[in-house]
Amino acid sequence: MSSQIALVGDIGGTNARFALFDLSTQSLQQIQVLACKDYANIDQAISHYLNQQSVSPEQACLAFACPVHNAQVRMTNNHWYFDKQTLKADLGLKQLRIINDFTALALALPVLSEKDLCQVGEGDSVKDKPKLVMGPGTGMGMAGLVRTQQGWLPIPTEGGHVDFAPRNELEVEVWRYLHRCFEHVSVERILSGSGLVNLYQALAAVSGQEISVVDPSYITTEGCEGTDKLACQTLEMFSEILGAVAGNAALTIGALGGVYIAGGIIPRFKAHFMKSGFRNAFIDKGRFRDYLNAIPSYLVLAEYPGLLGAAQGLVSSEKLG
């Protein structure tokens, strides 16, 4: 039984999502979400989950929201740290595959259905051309997906840590505020949960407003309801900057197969996002406006795309980073 059941995981800065993957039926089972803060390390969270399921799988594929190319993995946005070989031995696994969380999301793209996606703007996906997935959550992730003779090959990146490039005077003022706060103003300093708060505070400072301490949920809730004008402005600028960054990345890898927006932030204000300036900022690249306008952009609505991708990581014949 255990040889046909594998463990898959999608571990972010806030939550760890686990499931059992039936290798014979290619289906996910027993999905559970655990709060990372409740466990001292990844091995305790996994042991808790497997004990509840009463299984001892021989294979696992775990996706992490951090660089995973070294023998030791240290989470960027929580306290977890582990050695790959030690974790494999402690869990009694014959095979352990560790991939980046956006590598998993990239692998999930070919198996997503139409109901898992909501298109934003115009454009049509070109078959077998590169795809791009990116999205704000606890952090900001990004990965490419290219077609090879052996199948789809994910390209893991740390694109969330590129420089924030302001496009107008207000964004320049936001950059100046953030540069006083941080040594390096990456796009993740804006396009993430904490980034929402950074942007809200920056816009308040630029306009000379006194504000109280807020969290991301306040900004998304009050911004959607229209009860806080500054929160509304924050959501709009957040969407526009995301569009600009997505357009830059699409140009970089030639993502004619489409750009997919994932992560946990955008679904919190989906209706506002769909009416925002995201798409205009995406295509606003001068002479390459028509090129980008032909590239479709999608909001990923699937509840657990990272787990789908981790499962694909087990069945993929490619070596993943």
Side-chain angles (χ1 to χ4, degrees), residues 109-234:
L109 297 182
V111 298
L112 294 179
S113 65
E114 287 188 9
K115 66 180 178 61
D116 293 325
L117 302 171
C118 179
Q119 186 163 352
V120 187
E122 303 175 3
D124 295 299
S125 177
V126 180
K127 183 181 179 181
D128 293 338
K129 291 298 184 180
K131 301 176 186 290
L132 171 73
V133 61
M134 59 187 297
T138 303
M140 172 67 181
M142 189 183 302
L145 189 70
V146 296
R147 189 72 169 178
T148 71
Q149 291 183 342
Q150 290 74 38
W152 287 104
L153 176 67
I155 304 174
T157 82
E158 289 300 330
H161 300 285
V162 301
D163 297 333
F164 166 52
R167 301 168 301 128
N168 54 51
E169 287 301 319
L170 180 56
E171 290 185 5
V172 169
E173 290 300 315
V174 166
W175 179 88
R176 285 179 176 146
Y177 172 87
L178 294 176
H179 192 251
R180 292 194 293 269
C181 301
F182 306 106
E183 180 180 355
H184 174 234
V185 185
S186 67
V187 297
E188 185 176 270
R189 293 299 191 185
I190 296 172
L191 300 179
S192 61
S194 60
L196 262 178
V197 177
N198 293 338
L199 184 56
Y200 184 87
Q201 293 172 335
L203 288 171
V206 170
S207 60
Q209 297 184 51
E210 295 287 337
I211 58 170
S212 57
V213 176
V214 299
D215 59 21
S217 62
Y218 170 88
I219 297 169
T220 54
T221 300
E222 301 300 318
C224 288
E225 293 179 356
T227 51
D228 183 329
K229 291 183 178 179
L230 186 60
C232 292
Q233 184 184 13
T234 299

Side-chain angles (χ1 to χ4, degrees), residues 19-304:
L20 301 179
F21 180 59
D22 191 321
L23 295 163
S24 60
T25 63
Q26 302 282 290
S27 61
L28 294 175
Q29 305 169 0
Q30 305 299 324
I31 295 173
Q32 188 173 354
V33 181
L34 303 179
C36 296
K37 65 179 179 59
D38 293 341
Y39 301 88
N41 216 330
I42 178 66
D43 57 333
Q44 292 186 12
I46 292 175
S47 295
H48 175 85
Y49 173 77
L50 292 178
N51 287 337
Q52 284 190 321
Q53 310 308 324
S54 299
V55 295
S56 299
E58 297 178 352
Q59 300 181 64
C61 181
L62 305 176
F64 289 87
C66 63
V68 297
H69 56 282
N70 293 322
Q72 288 78 38
V73 176
R74 185 180 298 277
M75 296 292 294
T76 304
N77 290 305
N78 71 34
H79 60 284
W80 286 0
Y81 170 83
F82 65 94
D83 177 88
K84 293 177 182 178
Q85 290 302 318
T86 301
L87 181 63
K88 179 182 177 181
D90 289 347
L91 296 176
L93 297 168
K94 292 183 178 180
Q95 178 189 17
L96 173 61
R97 176 164 282 176
I98 303 292
I99 62 177
N100 178 264
D101 62 332
F102 270 77
T103 296
L105 285 171
L107 285 169
L109 297 182
V111 298
L112 294 179
S113 65
E114 287 188 9
K115 66 180 178 61
D116 293 325
L117 302 171
C118 179
Q119 186 163 352
V120 187
E122 303 175 3
D124 295 299
S125 177
V126 180
K127 183 181 179 181
D128 293 338
K129 291 298 184 180
K131 301 176 186 290
L132 171 73
V133 61
M134 59 187 297
T138 303
M140 172 67 181
M142 189 183 302
L145 189 70
V146 296
R147 189 72 169 178
T148 71
Q149 291 183 342
Q150 290 74 38
W152 287 104
L153 176 67
I155 304 174
T157 82
E158 289 300 330
H161 300 285
V162 301
D163 297 333
F164 166 52
R167 301 168 301 128
N168 54 51
E169 287 301 319
L170 180 56
E171 290 185 5
V172 169
E173 290 300 315
V174 166
W175 179 88
R176 285 179 176 146
Y177 172 87
L178 294 176
H179 192 251
R180 292 194 293 269
C181 301
F182 306 106
E183 180 180 355
H184 174 234
V185 185
S186 67
V187 297
E188 185 176 270
R189 293 299 191 185
I190 296 172
L191 300 179
S192 61
S194 60
L196 262 178
V197 177
N198 293 338
L199 184 56
Y200 184 87
Q201 293 172 335
L203 288 171
V206 170
S207 60
Q209 297 184 51
E210 295 287 337
I211 58 170
S212 57
V213 176
V214 299
D215 59 21
S217 62
Y218 170 88
I219 297 169
T220 54
T221 300
E222 301 300 318
C224 288
E225 293 179 356
T227 51
D228 183 329
K229 291 183 178 179
L230 186 60
C232 292
Q233 184 184 13
T234 299
L235 295 184
E236 178 58 32
M237 182 174 282
F238 186 97
S239 300
E240 291 180 7
I241 292 173
L242 179 60
V245 172
N248 288 341
L251 285 173
T252 300
I253 73 164
L256 297 176
V259 172
Y260 299 77
I261 305 299
I265 300 296
I266 300 301
R268 298 181 185 179
F269 62 99
K270 176 188 171 186
H272 191 289
F273 175 77
M274 296 299 291
K275 297 183 292 184
S276 74
F278 165 84
R279 184 69 185 183
N280 284 338
F282 177 81
I283 66 176
D284 188 20
K285 304 298 180 186
R287 293 173 294 168
F288 272 73
R289 184 181 184 91
D290 290 342
Y291 178 92
L292 283 162
N293 197 42
I295 296 177
S297 51
Y298 305 94
L299 179 60
V300 177
L301 302 178
E303 190 171 8
Y304 299 108

